[in-house]
Amino acid sequence: MGSLFVTAQQSLVRYGLKYDTVVIRPGETFSNSLWVENKSAAAVCLFQTNLETSVKGLLDLPDSIRLQAGEKKWFPLKYFANRRTVHSHFQQFRFMLAAVQKHIPVQTQASFTAYLQQIQGLVVDTDEPEIYLSRMSRQTSVPVHCYNNGLIPVDFRLELSNIPEELEFTGDGTGHTLGPGQQQTIVFTATNKLRSRIASDFLVTIRALDKRGNQLAAKSLRMMSMSSDKRLGLNQTSFSQSLPNTVGLRYLSVNAGLSAYQLQGNGSLFLAGSRQLQYRLNADYVNDPVQKGFNLYDTYINYQSSKWGLRAGTIYELLDFNLNGRGIKARLQTGPGRSLNLYGIDNNYMLYNELRSLPQNQGATFAIAYQDQSSPVNNKTLILLRNSNTWSHVNTSLFSGSIALPVSEKIHFGAEAGYSQLHIKDARSRRGLAAGLKFAYNGSRIRAYSYHYYSTPYYGGLRRGLLQLDNSGSFDLGRSRTLSATIRLLNNNPRLLYYFGNEYLSTINRSGNSIYEIGYSSRPGNWNLALRPYYFAQHIRMQTENKTRRSGSVRGKINLGYVDAMHTVFLEADNGYTFQNAAHQPKTSFFSSRVNASYKGQVLGFSVFAQFNSYYLTDALALKLERPQYRFLSLGPTAAFTLFQQQVSVNAGASYNYSGYNHGSNYSINSNLRWQLKNNWALTADLLFGVNVQPMAYNIIRGAGAGDDPGDPTPAYRYSSRQLRFGIEKSFNTKNHQQEGKLELFFYTDLNANGRRDAEEPAAAGVQVRIDGTMAITNRKGAVKFTGEKNKSYSVSILNNKNWSLLQGLEITLKKNSRMDVALVKTELLTGRLVYVADKYADAPPTPAGIRVKAVSKNGAVFMTLINEEGLFRLYLPENQYTLSVETGAPGFTMLQENRIVQVRQEQRQTIELKYSYQGRKVEVTRF
């Protein structure tokens, strides 16, 4: 039943929609029907009163609706889901009718809601899956690339989690908005504060969250120190969390008698009235030969309603300050998209700790944050924060804010500013300022982005003593070619207050770099090619030195990628010549190269990273004069497969790492197994094992390789580490499996295009199949399996990557477990364009987006596609002769040629033009 809005007086004219909610997908048409009923005793003439605010459709209501007494009529409505029509996930389409006869009461309005199933959305990625921290500066830049390939604008913030205390990230991750097709690079600076000789690896999760905290995208990033001495911690990626709505109990065994019992779980419970209860649990009982105890960490319970919310437990957020501890966050919804958040946090990540490895009293943080995200492109934040750190004895007061101001649909401005005051016992206060400006332009072919930020050395926010200039632009040369230019400058000059006990804080270096780059990228078919020559300048000033070391390099980066249904190949080669080398290690100018390559198939994969000679200035500073060669190599295979009808899933990998400047080597293997049992129970097993080999100590006379000489008494340092974990899990799935059915599809090559599978027709392996946004790849038998809701209709489509196409459209109503053969045919691409033939008396035509193009073969097979906003269409057709026609649907569009005969042949692509006219005006003549 449609949504009805009725006035207090009984309406004699009523109307409503056939469906109150319509599920829509980007790039597809959707429809509904409006019924209008006249219960009065006289004829009535109706007209729309909200024409200027209503969305224009392919099929709209007529200008006037005439109904006789007691008559009821239905009117079809049709829309195309593009960015001009759809602006939010839940969008209302309202209809308001009024009668010419003022005395007849008419219902106020009716509406239906379009629910957008965002098949694609925000993508978060980094240049490399692994980032290497220099052992000298222990710092590097981490560019995070964000791209919105969805239909509607996306508001998001970047949240970095699983950050250990030894690792610090600085950067602006809040208050970002990307329109459809827009992209943005957000740069963070990572600093490893660990001073131990033994380098550690860190696994950091970068999550893009919307204003309600829902995850839009995620990226795991491994931060690796430049050393072969690696210790495997308790919280690796495969060890860190259970699956959603799952509780698991595990036993973990580590080296030297260390073991732990782990209880983990997380999930969401949806309550009545749009309320939600989220929870997470991580508890360990550690059994160590030296000490035993219970730890509770990364645990919280979070209640959210439409008016208010409360989270208690572990809190980790970025508010121009790293909030990380245990406490309470309260949220008050002050309006649509506007909220006031209150934080009270004890600066201790552990909720309960019996091991006493960290001081219990580390200070507290109190904050108030106001967020206004009522508009996708016009948002504001205001933050007031007070932090007391008993470890560093520094108290921080911070006031900051940001605002985004859209100038037009294509131009956006943003600004931010901050003021802080740092105070330490028995020392004078230090004031800090920060300011930033952002500009973005997103045209049809030209895109530009500019971001400038500066903060004083004693600023108390995340980005202290930072000068950042980030300017980039791109120009589309065609459908798959882009020319770009980038200028980036980063200068770190942070200062920290000194107190007895935190002396190491004063050893922070001043460093920076600048990049001047031009680029060209092309995407022919499944390939992706990019060429980026650039100039790379660096400088660093050590705290213990009175000179600034500099380097300058001319480099070129080549990116090559290939993706299809079964294989993914990536290669990046960065080669260059360093002509200015003030580090004098090596003494002369030199060539260097960095290569990062990976392959991933359906089962096996392989990755390689190699560096020859220094890339970063800190690489050269790490060298000793006796060994001027900087080399690093990392490689290893991976495997992922399932057994016993997907009940058992296995992931395994091995790696080898070699550091040439200290001759250290690392060998490691890791694997994960999950065995799915009945009633949502599962058994899990994890294995991590590593061996590290390197010289015991650096020989001052002979260098790092002293231990390599058999006659040298210095022994090699070897260390092995292992972790074994076994567990049992229980998932709490709220779905009723009796209402689910299984759909098994077998895809085959229909050689004669008759729609039946003949004996000689082979299976089609490696085809990507999509049903309601869920993707699957056919196996060697051409089969895929889906589990879905019974009595629901599903549309089947494939990703055309090897010129495959469905012989005919396929829509299935899943009433029971079903098996079906699906015919595929080899096709060739036919492209076309709608060309407008102007009429001097006609109005300018609206966009033809959403108009359907139909191709009918000689044997009656029908293929259809939709025209995009630029008037272009693409059809993959089997070799045959076709009659091409256009179903305009909307009034005013007239094709100048009804049918067009086209001959499609393999390896012969064609582009055709279809001409049309548009008569938007309607003239009515009234005779008196």
Side-chain angles (χ1 to χ4, degrees), residues 684-748:
T684 63
D686 302 276
L687 166 66
L688 290 172
F689 181 76
V691 176
N692 301 270
V693 180
Q694 70 175 46
M696 172 66 80
Y698 198 96
N699 189 303
I700 299 177
I701 299 177
R702 304 190 57 190
D708 298 335
D709 187 351
D712 195 299
T714 305
Y717 173 67
R718 288 178 174 85
Y719 173 80
S720 64
S721 176
R722 65 155 178 84
Q723 295 187 32
L724 295 173
R725 190 174 74 162
F726 305 94
I728 184 170
E729 293 181 349
K730 170 65 175 177
S731 297
F732 301 94
N733 196 337
T734 58
K735 291 184 178 180
N736 184 356
H737 289 279
Q738 294 181 352
Q739 300 300 320
E740 293 182 346
K742 293 184 178 180
L743 176 62
E744 192 169 6
L745 303 176
F746 293 88
F747 290 81
Y748 67 96

Side-chain angles (χ1 to χ4, degrees), residues 842-856:
D843 289 336
T847 173
I851 292 179
R852 191 180 299 274
V853 178
K854 180 170 67 174
V856 182

Side-chain angles (χ1 to χ4, degrees), residues 174 318-321 323 341 343 366-371 380-386 397-402 417-419 459:
T174 61
L318 294 177
L319 297 178
D320 200 15
F321 196 91
L323 274 68
N341 301 277
Y343 301 84
F366 300 94
I368 301 175
Y370 173 76
Q371 294 181 331
K380 310 175 187 67
T381 60
L382 199 62
I383 299 168
L384 181 62
L385 180 143
R386 172 71 175 179
S397 299
L398 176 67
F399 177 72
S400 67
S402 64
Y419 170 80
Y459 180 60

Side-chain angles (χ1 to χ4, degrees), residues 12 193 257 364 389 419 524 598 621 672 727 797 803 877 915:
L12 296 180
K193 299 185 295 185
N389 192 320
Y419 170 80
S598 65
L621 294 176
N672 169 266
S797 61
N803 286 358
L877 301 173
K915 297 181 180 180

Side-chain angles (χ1 to χ4, degrees), residues 87-360:
H87 309 287
S88 63
H89 281 286
F90 294 91
Q91 180 169 331
Q92 279 198 332
F93 290 75
R94 288 189 175 89
F95 301 88
M96 301 174 65
L97 301 181
V100 175
Q101 299 86 346
K102 301 296 184 181
H103 63 281
I104 298 180
V106 180
Q107 178 184 311
T108 305
Q109 61 174 309
S111 69
F112 74 93
T113 301
Y115 167 53
L116 175 64
Q117 285 189 339
Q118 191 77 346
I119 296 176
Q120 296 174 318
L122 189 66
V123 176
V124 174
D125 200 5
T126 55
D127 289 333
E128 299 174 357
E130 297 175 344
I131 301 295
Y132 293 87
L133 292 168
S134 168
R135 202 170 183 181
M136 292 293 293
S137 70
R138 305 186 300 279
Q139 190 177 85
T140 188
S141 297
V142 182
V144 180
H145 307 293
C146 306
Y147 177 64
N148 179 12
N149 60 5
L151 188 63
I152 62 177
V154 176
D155 293 317
F156 68 97
R157 57 184 173 87
L158 293 182
E159 178 183 273
L160 285 76
S161 57
N162 298 332
I163 303 176
E165 294 186 358
E166 297 87 354
L167 192 64
E168 180 183 74
F169 272 88
T170 56
D172 180 21
T174 61
H176 299 285
T177 300
L178 285 180
Q182 285 186 335
Q183 55 186 345
Q184 180 179 349
T185 299
I186 302 169
V187 180
F188 290 90
T189 299
T191 303
N192 181 8
K193 299 185 295 185
L194 191 66
R195 302 191 72 202
S196 170
R197 289 179 177 270
I198 300 176
S200 298
D201 292 352
F202 307 105
L203 283 163
V204 176
T205 301
I206 305 173
R207 299 192 303 159
L209 306 176
D210 64 11
K211 58 186 178 182
R212 297 183 180 273
N214 299 317
Q215 180 172 301
L216 303 176
K219 172 70 176 181
S220 294
L221 183 66
R222 188 179 183 188
M223 310 295 298
M224 300 182 65
S225 300
M226 286 296 191
S227 171
S228 61
D229 186 3
K230 312 292 184 181
R231 294 186 185 273
L232 301 176
L234 290 176
N235 290 317
Q236 302 293 335
T237 298
S238 60
F239 282 15
S240 59
Q241 281 298 328
S242 304
L243 296 175
N245 291 317
T246 300
V247 175
L249 180 63
R250 300 178 175 86
Y251 172 74
L252 173 66
S253 174
V254 196
N255 297 51
L258 175 62
S259 62
Y261 296 91
Q262 299 181 319
L263 180 63
Q264 298 178 324
N266 68 95
S268 298
L269 301 175
F270 294 93
L271 309 176
S274 70
R275 294 175 297 166
Q276 186 177 5
L277 185 66
Q278 299 174 326
Y279 65 91
R280 174 171 290 182
L281 171 66
N282 284 277
D284 294 349
Y285 178 78
V286 180
N287 184 18
D288 186 81
V290 179
Q291 58 179 342
K292 298 177 175 62
F294 179 77
N295 287 339
L296 184 64
Y297 58 96
D298 195 10
T299 297
Y300 62 82
I301 185 168
N302 184 20
Y303 172 82
Q304 298 290 336
S305 70
S306 59
K307 297 296 183 181
W308 63 279
L310 184 65
R311 172 169 169 161
T314 304
I315 307 291
Y316 35 81
E317 287 194 23
L318 294 177
L319 297 178
D320 200 15
F321 196 91
N322 189 10
L323 274 68
N324 193 346
R326 56 192 181 188
I328 294 177
K329 172 187 175 182
R331 179 185 63 87
L332 178 63
Q333 199 76 19
T334 60
R338 295 186 292 269
S339 64
L340 184 66
N341 301 277
L342 307 177
Y343 301 84
I345 297 176
D346 178 14
N347 300 336
N348 192 337
Y349 184 75
M350 307 293 292
L351 270 70
Y352 181 76
N353 179 19
E354 287 186 340
L355 299 181
R356 308 294 181 186
S357 59
L358 296 173
Q360 295 299 300

